[in-house]
């Protein structure tokens, strides 16, 4: 495979073993990959642990768009970003983790901005459930105990 | 560019765009690493941020930590978010009632509960630095106030030592700034003692440092301050004061003196050259750059900007507004 590989192309291997051929300029938007390439410790294939094929494909799509559209209007890119990050819970979490581990600054920025917009108007209660994984049960029980405490007869 | 898809048939259907009902709120996110949490929170406005302090103890200590506060400030400056104008409300029963106007919603003004109200009446709002306002009451009582968090700090009193020869009158000027080298907020106080006819004057300058909580005496201010333009302009790490180079003339030639908050030295800032003489001069700060307004009587105003700080050649005429009248 490596013999037929064009110059300035890299192979990224996802955690579940799929391989993606991407231009080096796109791959090095991840600082972690950039460091590997610069230190020349990368062989033909760069493993990307903790990131599965679907998420890796999304990250590559994002990086390609950002690489291509340097000359494009910033507003177009912004629209692309806001559409790109508008995803379901699970994908959003996986993307954040991937962007954080692989150190893809632009992607992490767009994702964090998206989550910030989402939680701006939310109550503390919602934030607790969402970020701290407080289960409904815990909240109910703690409220229950609190209610008993408040309703106690102090005579 | 080509992308190889060894398992195309399998992975097509995994992540399709979410169904409309699957919102973020229905499910808990698995716990995110703390650095991502602070990345997200640093993008929030101050109000939700203060509310989210009671989400949990770790969140509270994160939001209150100096590192996070600096990160939030840095991001706000970079993205030009969380900006507001502080203006004085006219026609109100309370003297010097202050209002805040957000840049995003310029048509709505909020009344601010400022710390100097009844027994201590606000005399002057001097300037601001990184969202901190410098207020004063009766010349020497100074308060640093953060209108976003409503927290404030009374600075210790430091009485003015009036020289025997100048018992007639004195004026006090204040200004706050940030010393990035020692990571400290500093308040400069200039007291100017005037003899008869403004010919003789002396000054006393003290600098308060937030870290040491102490007013320290520094070198005297070597020029005569203009009374009508008494605010210190903060550009970079220096406070700028408008002075009159010939104090015996009421409308004498102007100059701009910078006080470097790091080196604690004075220097003169070069002003733009222009042929005309018949104008009033005003100084201001625009987008972090010093600017000068030349107001030609009954004609209009020129706005000059010093694009590169301290470089005389970088003064650029930005705009000319015709038929502009201002006081």
């Amino acid at each position: 495979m490596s013999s037929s590989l064009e110059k300035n192309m890299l192979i990224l291997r996802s955690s579940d073993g799929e391989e993606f051929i991407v231009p080096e300029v796109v791959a090095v938007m991840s600082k972690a990959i950039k460091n590997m390439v610069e230190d020349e410790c990368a062989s033909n294939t760069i493993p990307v642990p903790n990131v599965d094929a679907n998420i890796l494909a999304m990250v590559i799509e994002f990086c390609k768009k950002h690489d291509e559209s340097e000359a494009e209007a910033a507003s177009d890119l912004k629209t692309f970003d806001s559409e790109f990050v508008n995803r379901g819970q699970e994908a959003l979490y996986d993307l954040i983790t991937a962007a954080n581990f692989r150190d893809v600054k632009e992607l992490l920025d767009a994702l964090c901005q998206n989550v910030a917009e989402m939680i701006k108007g939310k109550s503390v209660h919602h934030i607790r459930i969402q970020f701290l994984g407080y289960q409904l049960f815990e909240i109910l029980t703690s409220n229950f105990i609190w209610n008993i405490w408040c309703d106690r007869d102090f005579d | 560019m080509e992308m190889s898809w060894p398992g195309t048939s399998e992975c097509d259907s995994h992540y399709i765009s979410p169904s409309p009902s699957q919102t973020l709120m229905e499910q808990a996110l698995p716990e995110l690493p703390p650095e991502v949490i602070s990345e997200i929170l640093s993008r929030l406005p101050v109000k939700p941020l203060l509310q989210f302090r009671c989400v949990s103890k770790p969140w509270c200590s994160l939001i209150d930590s100096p590192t996070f506060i600096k990160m939030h400030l840095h991001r706000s400056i970079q993205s030009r978010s969380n900006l507001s104008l502080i203006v004085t409300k006219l026609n109100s029963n309370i003297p010097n009632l202050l209002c805040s106007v957000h840049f995003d919603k310029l048509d709505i003004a909020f009344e601010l509960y400022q710390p100097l109200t009844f027994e201590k009446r606000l005399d002057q709002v001097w300037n601001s630095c990184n969202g901190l306002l410098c207020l004063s009451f009766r010349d020497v009582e100074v308060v640093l106030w953060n209108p976003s968090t409503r927290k404030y700090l009374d600075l210790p009193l430091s009485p003015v030592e009036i020289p025997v020869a100048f018992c007639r009158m004195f004026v006090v000027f204040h200004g706050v700034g940030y010393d990035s080298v020692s990571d400290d907020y500093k308040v400069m106080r200039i007291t100017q003692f005037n003899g008869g006819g403004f010919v003789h004057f002396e000054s006393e300058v003290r600098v308060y440092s937030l870290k040491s909580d102490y007013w320290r005496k520094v070198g005297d201010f070597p020029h005569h301050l203009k009374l009508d333009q008494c605010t210190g302009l903060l550009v970079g790490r220096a406070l700028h004061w408008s002075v009159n180079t010939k104090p015996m003339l009421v409308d004498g030639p102007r100059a701009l003196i910078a006080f470097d908050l790091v080196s604690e030295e004075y220097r003169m800032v070069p002003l733009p050259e222009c042929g005309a003489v018949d104008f009033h001069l005003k100084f201001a700060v625009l987008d972090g750059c010093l600017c000068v307004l030349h107001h030609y009587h009954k004609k209009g105003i020129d706005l000059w900007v010093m694009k590169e700080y301290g470089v005389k050649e970088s003064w650029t005429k930005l705009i000319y507004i015709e038929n502009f009248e201002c006081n």
Side-chain angles (χ1 to χ4, degrees):
Chain A
M1 193 163 187
S2 58
S3 57
S4 64
L5 202 62
E6 281 177 52
K7 220 186 159 195
N8 297 329
M9 298 294 266
L10 291 172
I11 304 170
L12 304 180
R13 189 196 290 137
S14 68
S15 62
D16 46 358
E18 286 188 32
E19 290 185 344
F20 298 84
I21 304 174
V22 289
E24 194 180 314
V25 280
V26 172
V28 296
M29 281 177 78
S30 149
K31 272 223 190 86
I33 292 176
K34 190 182 180 194
N35 290 342
M36 285 176 80
V37 173
E38 278 174 359
D39 297 346
E40 290 175 355
C41 59
S43 56
N44 289 327
T45 313
I46 299 174
V48 189
N50 305 328
V51 182
D52 68 22
N54 303 295
I55 294 296
L56 188 58
M58 285 186 208
V59 177
I60 291 169
E61 182 201 339
F62 181 91
C63 291
K64 272 194 171 172
K65 180 76 184 176
H66 272 249
D67 178 55
E68 284 163 10
S69 58
E70 259 176 17
E72 264 183 47
S75 60
D76 286 356
L77 204 59
K78 232 178 175 176
T79 322
F80 169 79
D81 282 1
S82 60
E83 278 167 15
F84 182 86
V85 294
N86 188 16
R87 285 172 199 273
Q89 177 88 16
E90 212 179 320
L92 200 58
Y93 174 78
D94 289 346
L95 276 171
I96 291 176
T97 316
N100 188 40
F101 271 140
R102 297 288 107 200
D103 205 351
V104 190
K105 195 182 166 298
E106 289 89 343
L107 181 58
L108 192 63
D109 276 349
L111 291 163
C112 288
Q113 188 64 44
N114 182 44
V115 179
E117 296 293 333
M118 278 171 158
I119 65 173
K120 218 182 247 180
K122 299 285 187 267
S123 69
V124 168
H125 177 76
H126 267 124
I127 302 298
R128 281 188 185 148
I129 296 178
Q130 197 189 346
F131 280 88
L132 306 180
Y134 277 27
Q135 297 303 308
L136 195 60
F137 175 72
E138 286 173 49
I139 292 164
L140 283 176
T141 47
S142 61
N143 274 352
F144 180 61
I145 293 165
W146 177 244
N147 289 343
I148 294 173
W149 175 256
C150 291
D151 293 344
R152 261 190 346 172
D153 199 349
F154 286 99
D155 292 339
Chain B
M1 294 292 162
E2 284 296 312
M3 192 193 285
S4 73
W5 284 90
T8 313
S9 56
E10 275 174 23
C11 60
D12 261 351
S13 56
H14 272 256
Y15 282 102
I16 325 167
S17 58
S19 63
S21 65
Q22 191 191 0
T23 64
L24 194 72
M25 281 302 140
E26 283 168 17
Q27 213 182 345
L29 277 174
E31 215 160 304
L32 290 166
E35 70 267 20
V36 176
I37 298 276
S38 52
E39 274 287 325
I40 294 169
L41 294 185
S42 70
R43 288 167 164 81
L44 288 174
V46 180
K47 198 178 168 185
L49 208 51
L50 294 179
Q51 286 168 343
F52 293 167
R53 284 171 77 245
C54 48
V55 164
S56 70
K57 272 192 177 177
W59 275 43
C60 184
S61 49
L62 167 76
I63 293 169
D64 285 344
S65 72
T67 327
F68 179 78
I69 293 170
K70 276 198 195 112
M71 183 179 175
H72 188 266
L73 176 70
H74 187 69
R75 196 175 298 285
S76 302
I77 294 171
Q78 223 178 20
S79 62
R80 296 174 190 224
S81 48
N82 300 322
L83 287 169
S84 50
L85 278 172
I86 306 288
V87 289
T88 315
K89 188 177 178 183
L90 298 172
N91 308 324
S92 95
N93 295 327
I94 307 164
N96 291 328
L97 182 69
L98 298 178
C99 289
S100 158
V101 183
H102 285 276
F103 264 40
D104 311 334
K105 295 173 196 153
L106 282 172
D107 50 339
I108 307 167
F110 301 93
E111 284 184 11
L112 293 171
Y113 298 92
Q114 40 113 347
L116 297 174
T117 45
F118 297 105
E119 69 273 21
K120 286 184 177 184
R121 241 189 58 196
L122 172 70
D123 288 333
Q124 181 88 38
V125 181
W126 293 99
N127 71 340
S128 75
C129 170
N130 294 344
L132 289 179
L133 264 72
C134 178
L135 315 177
S136 79
F137 157 71
R138 240 195 261 150
D139 285 344
V140 286
E141 296 188 27
V142 188
V143 171
L144 283 183
W145 176 46
N146 184 341
S148 305
T149 59
R150 297 188 190 171
K151 284 185 181 169
Y152 68 94
L153 178 77
D154 280 307
L155 303 194
L157 282 180
S158 168
V160 175
E161 294 161 17
I162 305 171
V164 188
F166 292 95
C167 55
R168 295 176 66 180
M169 68 180 270
F170 66 87
V171 272
V172 184
F173 304 89
H174 289 98
V176 63
Y178 178 64
D179 173 353
S180 53
V181 174
S182 57
D183 181 26
D184 195 5
Y185 285 91
K186 288 179 172 177
V187 178
M188 181 187 189
R189 183 182 83 186
I190 308 174
T191 317
Q192 188 167 278
F193 309 100
N194 290 305
F198 295 107
V199 182
H200 306 289
F201 63 92
E202 256 181 41
S203 70
E204 182 212 58
V205 183
R206 282 176 192 262
V207 173
Y208 170 84
S209 126
L210 192 62
K211 271 190 178 163
S212 66
D213 192 29
Y214 180 70
W215 289 94
R216 197 161 35 81
K217 214 168 166 174
V218 297
D220 288 353
F221 193 78
H223 301 272
H224 191 268
L225 279 156
K226 286 289 289 181
L227 299 183
D228 57 337
Q229 268 196 13
C230 48
T231 43
L233 300 171
L234 183 68
V235 178
R237 55 186 217 181
L239 276 167
H240 298 75
W241 304 91
S242 168
V243 299
N244 187 347
T245 51
K246 284 184 182 154
M248 53 286 278
L249 299 172
V250 177
D251 221 4
R254 296 289 194 82
L256 200 60
I257 303 296
F259 176 75
D260 192 311
L261 289 162
V262 179
S263 64
E264 300 190 341
E265 284 167 352
Y266 299 99
R267 59 171 179 267
M268 200 176 263
V269 180
L271 296 180
E273 295 276 1
C274 69
V277 277
D278 183 25
F279 57 76
H280 285 285
L281 205 61
K282 275 200 169 173
F283 299 102
V285 183
L286 183 69
D287 203 13
C289 295
L290 264 181
C291 65
V292 173
L293 286 159
H294 288 169
H295 180 212
Y296 304 97
H297 186 59
K298 288 188 175 164
K299 279 181 192 156
I301 55 165
D302 267 338
L303 174 62
W304 293 76
V305 178
M306 184 156 71
K307 297 220 160 148
E308 203 176 323
Y309 182 77
V311 180
K312 190 174 181 176
E313 292 72 32
S314 75
W315 277 108
T316 315
K317 198 191 278 186
L318 199 69
I319 196 167
Y320 174 73
I321 305 169
E322 245 177 314
N323 300 322
F324 188 88
E325 273 302 310
C326 69
N327 299 319

